[in-house]
Amino acid sequence: MNKMELFGYTVEVDDAATQDWYAQSEGWDCPCGHCRNFLQLARERKLPAFLLEALDRLGIPPEKATYVCEFHEKDGLLLYQASWRAAGRILREPAQEVFSSEQDCGTCGHEVYPHGAPGFPEPHFDLMFFLRLPWVLDEPIDGPLPKNTDIE
């Protein structure tokens, strides 16, 4: 077990179990435009540096989130909640947690929606983030362009 600090939390991580699970995982596979947009940014490593640094420390590929949800658009950016699971446990929580939907931030906790992490080793915890990200897909934000249906 590897003991470390993440976002003011002291955690103990089983690096081998975490990395083994991600090596076999296909990652988040929601086909909606908002999730595909998030995954494109993750594959290109265009997520905030503090998030990428935490995932790199744990050997977790950014494109293999275990939960992704887009809430709304504000000031030209999309507000996402995204999580990645780690094998291990939280040893100590910070005296004052800063987790807000008003700024990019990260925290440790337990995501109650396990859809994206079936068969994850126990015990575990989640790295959870609120992020403001741009739309980067070459399609309208409301969905792909309709196919040309003109019949000649």
Side-chain angles (χ1 to χ4, degrees):
M1 292 283 215
N2 182 15
K3 189 175 176 181
M4 66 179 70
E5 298 290 320
L6 290 171
F7 317 115
Y9 289 79
T10 303
V11 297
E12 191 174 59
V13 179
D14 183 334
D15 293 326
T18 299
Q19 292 166 14
D20 287 349
W21 186 87
Y22 280 97
Q24 298 173 33
S25 168
E26 293 181 22
W28 193 253
D29 65 353
C30 175
C32 83
H34 290 106
C35 286
R36 289 184 295 108
N37 184 69
F38 178 87
L39 293 172
Q40 181 69 33
L41 289 162
R43 279 191 293 278
E44 294 176 1
R45 296 185 60 84
K46 292 182 178 176
L47 299 174
F50 76 95
L51 182 156
L52 293 172
E53 290 166 8
L55 296 179
D56 289 348
R57 284 179 70 189
L58 298 171
I60 298 174
E63 67 276 10
K64 291 192 175 184
T66 54
Y67 179 76
V68 176
C69 178
E70 188 274 332
F71 291 108
H72 61 79
E73 183 179 1
K74 183 178 179 184
D75 302 325
L77 297 174
L78 301 167
L79 175 63
Y80 283 92
Q81 178 186 357
S83 299
W84 289 262
R85 190 156 283 177
R89 58 194 175 111
I90 298 170
L91 300 175
R92 185 184 56 77
E93 296 184 11
Q96 182 177 0
E97 183 176 28
V98 178
F99 192 54
S100 164
S101 62
E102 299 301 316
Q103 63 185 20
D104 287 354
C105 58
T107 188
C108 295
H110 293 280
E111 175 60 58
V112 296
Y113 187 66
H115 175 74
F120 205 92
E122 294 281 351
H124 61 259
F125 64 94
D126 297 283
L127 285 80
M128 302 182 291
F129 300 88
F130 274 118
L131 309 163
R132 274 162 220 21
L133 300 171
W135 183 262
V136 296
L137 295 182
D138 190 21
E139 63 186 55
I141 199 165
D142 294 330
L145 294 170
K147 293 181 180 176
N148 186 349
T149 57
D150 292 343
I151 300 175
E152 297 181 323

